[in-house]
Amino acid sequence: MSLDKPYLDVPGTTIFDAEQSRKGYWLNQFCMSLMKPENRARFKADERAYLDGWQLSEEQKQAVLARDLNRCISLGGNIYFLAKIGATDGRSFQQMAGSMTGMTEQEYRDMMVSGGRTIEGNRRIGEDGDAQAHRQPQGRAGGGR
């Protein structure tokens, strides 16, 4: 029996529920491995080889290699685990969040300090607010570092 998920209609939002957790189990385990200095060194020395040692889908591996965090989230990644990739790259959480919204770190900081995104036009998918997919990098082809 499928659960009702009314939250699937929130623009720019992926809820980390049980389904996402199952989908991203190995992706998140990989991320947690980066807490150990020796694993960070192995990953940075040969990212693809290190990823190949984990039971990730090819799509998950490609998303990590491209540092496409929005794609990682859609493939089951949890942002708190994915932050380990950013830390391994020497990036702050704020820098990562900015990249996920198509903003510079300063633009993202300024938006958050001024109260964040407006809810107008961002309550449901298909409205015309600034958080809608067609206004975000995850709504267009590309991404990456």
Side-chain angles (χ1 to χ4, degrees), residues 120-135:
E120 295 306 316
N122 292 318
R123 291 184 181 97
R124 286 176 218 71
I125 292 174
E127 295 179 328
D128 199 32
D130 58 358
Q132 295 288 324
H134 67 281
R135 298 186 189 275

Side-chain angles (χ1 to χ4, degrees), residues 26-54:
W26 288 111
L27 174 58
N28 293 315
Q29 291 298 304
F30 148 73
C31 291
M32 290 304 292
S33 78
L34 299 176
M35 292 181 66
K36 293 183 178 180
E38 61 271 21
N39 291 339
R40 289 192 299 272
R42 284 180 45 221
F43 176 63
K44 293 308 283 183
D46 188 341
E47 293 184 2
R48 180 62 199 221
Y50 190 78
L51 289 170
D52 284 342
W54 293 89

Side-chain angles (χ1 to χ4, degrees), residues 92 94-96 98-99 103-110:
S92 71
Q94 187 168 281
Q95 288 170 314
M96 292 173 57
S99 75
M103 297 179 190
T104 66
E105 180 183 8
Q106 186 62 49
E107 290 168 334
Y108 181 79
R109 179 185 301 125
D110 293 346

